[in-house]
Amino acid sequence: MKRTDHENSMTNPTLLDPKTARLLPWIVAIAFFMQTLDGTILNTALPAMAADLGENPLRMQSVVIAYMLTVALLIPASGWVADRFGTRRIFFGAIALFSLGSLLCALSESLSMLIGARVIQGLGGALMMPVGRLVVLRAYPRSELVRIMSFITLPGLLGPLIGPSLGGWLVEVASWHWIFLINLPVGLLGCWAALRHMPDLRGPERSRFDTAGFLLFGAAMLLITVALEGLGELHLPTMRVVLLLLGGMACLAAYWLRAGRIEHPLFAPKLFHTRSFAVGIIGNLFARLGSGALPFLTPLLLQLAMGYSPAQAGMSLIPLALAAMAAKPLARPLIERLGYRNILTSNTLLLGALIASLALVDAQTSTLQLIIQLSLIGACNSLQFTAMNTVTLIDLDNRDASSGNSLLSVVVQLAMGLGVASAAALLSGFSRELGGSEHVLQAFQATYLCVGLLSMLAAAIFLQLDGKDGRGGRNIEVSADE
C-alpha cells in the first residue's frame, strides 16, 4: 500500500511509547483475523441457517452479499473519516459496530433481520482494516513497514484455513448462532485495547469529501448488485432487472463524467491512463467472479447435493486454503521469470478450467479427487490474486497509488459480491429449468461449468498487457485481501 503525498512528506513517524509500539500490530492483526474468519466461517453454515429460518438454502446469498456490498460502499470513505474524527475513535467504533452486528446476527429470527444485521457488521468491517493500516503507515518508520505489514496480514491467511471447518463443527455441536457469538469476546478485547493503546492520529490537512461522487458510485454498485439479485432470490420481472441495470450504468457514467471535471474526485479517471492499472482493475472485476462464487457454491454442493455433514464440508475446504498458502512464495519468482502478461493470461485460463471441472463432481467422486481439484484451485487462486493485485498498482506514481489502492479494494469486494450474486442467479435458474430439488446436483454442475467458462473469458483482458508492463515498477506493498 502506498502512502498519500502528505504521508510521504512526514519524515518523522508519530512517536509511540515502547508498549504501544509493541501492542499496536497485535491489535490490528486481531481485527483482521476477526474479519477474515467471519468471511469464511459463514458459508459452511448457510444450509443450517436456512433450515432454522425456514428459507431455501439455495437462496441464502443475500446474507453474504449484504456484507460484501456494504464494505465495498464504505471503503472509499474510510480514510477521510479517520482523518476527520481520529483513528482511535473510528477504530474503536468499527470494532464495536462489527461486534454489535455479530450479536444481532445471532439474535435474528428471520432472513430480513439477518441481512440487516450483516449490513451493520459491514459498517464496522469497512472501517476496521483500512483505518488499522493507516495507523501503521503513520506510526512506524518506513524501514519497519514491510515487517509490520507482514505480521498484520498473516492472520488473513489463517482465517480461510480454520473458518470452514470451525463453522461446520459449531453447527454440529451447538448451533449456527455461535459462528457469530464467538466474535463477541474478541470484539470486547479489541475495543478495550483500542481505547487503551490505539494512537489518535488525524490528517495534517482537512480536505473536502466528494459526497456527490460517493453517492453516485455507491448507487451504481447497489443498483447493479440488486439487479443480479433480482435474477436469483428476488425473482424480479425482467423489465425491473433491465431498469435496475440501466440505472446503475447511468449512475456510473454520471460519476466518471463528473470526476473528470472536479479537482479532488473520489477516484480520478486519470488513473486509467496507466495501462497496467486499467487492465488490472477490469481484469480483477471479471476474473474474480469465479473465485468469489467458489466459497458460496462449494459448501452448498457438498451438503445439499452430496450429503456431507457441515463439519465434513468444512474439512473438505482445508486443502484449498493450505494450497493457497503453499503457493504464495512461488508467485514472485514465476512473475519475474515469465512476466505479468504470460502469468495472468495462462493462469486465468487454467483457473477457469479447474472451476469448470467441478461440474464433474457427483456422488461417486472420491475424496482424493475432490482434494486434488480443490488444492489445484487454491494454488492457482493464490497466484492469480498476487499477480492481479500487484500489476494493478505497480506502475502508478506516488501521487496516485493511494487512490488506486482504495479503488482496487472496492473492486475486490464488489467482484466477490457479484460472483456470489451471479452464481446464485445461475443456480436458481438451472434449478427451475431442470425441475426442482430432485435435480439439484445437475443444477450445481451446470452452474460450475458456466462460472468457469465466464472466468476463462477474463484471459482476453490480460492479453491487453504489454510484455514490459510491471517490469520497471516500484516495490508497492499491496494490501492483502486473500
Side-chain angles (χ1 to χ4, degrees):
M1 183 191 300
K2 275 285 188 180
R3 298 183 176 191
T4 59
D5 285 345
H6 64 76
E7 286 166 340
N8 280 324
S9 66
M10 293 170 65
T11 55
N12 295 317
T14 301
L15 293 177
L16 301 177
D17 64 82
K19 185 176 182 180
T20 299
R22 188 171 62 252
L23 292 177
L24 182 57
W26 283 95
I27 298 171
V28 180
I30 289 172
F32 193 21
F33 174 74
M34 185 165 62
Q35 190 172 359
T36 55
L37 179 67
D38 181 82
T40 54
I41 199 174
L42 176 66
N43 293 307
T44 314
L46 288 178
M49 295 165 67
D52 190 46
L53 298 175
E55 297 287 341
N56 187 334
L58 300 182
R59 297 175 181 171
M60 291 292 290
Q61 71 273 11
S62 294
V63 178
V64 179
I65 295 171
Y67 179 87
M68 291 180 176
L69 185 58
T70 304
V71 172
L73 287 171
L74 292 181
I75 281 177
S78 59
W80 183 88
V81 170
D83 284 345
R84 176 68 176 80
F85 298 102
T87 53
R88 179 187 298 148
R89 185 184 303 175
I90 297 303
F91 193 76
F92 169 82
I95 297 177
L97 272 176
F98 190 88
S99 302
L100 174 62
S102 299
L103 177 61
L104 294 176
C105 285
L107 297 176
S108 297
E109 298 179 354
S110 68
L111 181 59
S112 298
M113 290 178 63
L114 185 58
I115 292 171
R118 288 286 285 172
V119 170
I120 295 175
Q121 261 194 321
L123 293 175
L127 296 172
M128 267 200 298
M129 275 316 295
V131 175
R133 287 194 300 262
L134 181 63
V135 172
V136 169
L137 284 170
R138 291 179 177 172
Y140 292 92
R142 182 162 272 194
S143 60
E144 293 288 305
L145 185 58
V146 173
R147 180 183 66 84
I148 298 295
M149 291 296 290
S150 297
F151 176 82
I152 288 170
T153 55
L154 181 62
L157 301 176
L158 298 178
L161 179 63
I162 69 174
S165 53
L166 179 60
W169 180 78
L170 285 172
V171 168
E172 287 196 11
V173 303
S175 69
W176 64 266
H177 306 81
W178 284 93
I179 68 173
F180 298 108
L181 291 174
I182 62 171
N183 287 332
L184 299 184
V186 182
L188 288 174
L189 176 63
C191 286
W192 173 82
L195 286 177
R196 288 288 303 272
H197 301 291
M198 176 65 67
D200 193 26
L201 308 179
R202 297 171 187 257
E205 56 187 36
R206 293 246 179 125
S207 60
R208 183 183 295 275
F209 183 63
D210 183 14
T211 305
F214 176 74
L215 294 175
L216 284 171
F217 193 81
M221 291 193 292
L222 182 62
L223 290 172
I224 292 171
T225 305
V226 172
L228 289 174
E229 275 277 82
L231 296 174
E233 178 187 4
L234 299 179
H235 301 299
L236 295 180
T238 304
M239 181 59 69
R240 294 187 185 179
V241 172
V242 171
L243 289 174
L244 286 168
L245 280 173
L246 290 175
M249 293 169 64
C251 288
L252 194 59
Y255 169 80
W256 287 115
L257 289 172
R258 180 181 181 277
R261 62 177 179 81
I262 65 174
E263 186 176 357
H264 298 294
L266 197 64
F267 304 114
K270 67 176 182 178
L271 289 170
F272 288 85
H273 296 168
T274 303
R275 179 176 51 197
S276 58
F277 179 84
V279 172
I281 284 291
I282 299 171
N284 260 284
L285 184 60
F286 289 98
R288 287 178 184 269
L289 293 178
S291 303
L294 204 63
F296 168 73
L297 282 177
T298 306
L300 291 179
L301 167 72
L302 296 177
Q303 293 180 69
L304 301 181
M306 298 180 65
Y308 281 45
S309 69
Q312 288 174 318
M315 294 289 288
S316 298
L317 296 178
I318 289 179
L320 193 151
L322 284 175
M325 294 175 66
K328 282 286 184 187
L330 301 176
R332 183 174 178 177
L334 283 174
I335 292 171
E336 289 178 348
R337 181 175 181 82
L338 301 175
Y340 287 101
R341 185 175 188 267
N342 292 332
I343 285 290
L344 284 169
T345 302
S346 58
N347 196 68
T348 301
L349 291 171
L350 178 58
L351 180 57
L354 287 170
I355 293 173
S357 75
L358 291 175
L360 302 174
V361 172
D362 56 26
Q364 283 70 49
T365 300
S366 67
T367 303
L368 178 60
Q369 177 187 328
L370 186 62
I371 288 174
I372 292 173
Q373 285 179 276
L374 291 176
S375 297
L376 290 173
I377 290 173
C380 289
N381 253 339
S382 179
L383 178 58
Q384 186 82 5
F385 294 150
T386 301
M388 286 194 305
N389 285 1
T390 309
V391 78
T392 303
L393 300 181
I394 199 166
D395 288 329
L396 293 180
D397 57 28
N398 291 353
R399 184 177 60 256
D400 296 328
S402 180
S403 176
N405 191 49
S406 295
L407 182 56
L408 174 61
S409 299
V410 171
V411 168
V412 166
Q413 290 293 328
L414 179 61
M416 291 192 296
L418 291 177
V420 174
S422 302
L426 288 167
L427 185 59
S428 177
F430 284 126
S431 297
R432 290 195 302 268
E433 187 175 314
L434 294 171
S437 58
E438 61 272 14
H439 295 96
V440 65
L441 178 59
Q442 290 90 333
F444 273 104
Q445 291 172 333
T447 301
Y448 274 117
L449 185 61
C450 290
V451 169
L453 291 175
L454 288 172
S455 298
M456 293 175 73
L457 293 176
I461 298 173
F462 295 118
L463 272 174
Q464 308 313 309
L465 287 169
D466 187 89
K468 297 180 180 179
D469 283 335
R471 291 290 192 175
R474 288 154 297 283
N475 181 24
I476 292 181
E477 185 73 23
V478 183
S479 60
D481 58 282
E482 327 300 342

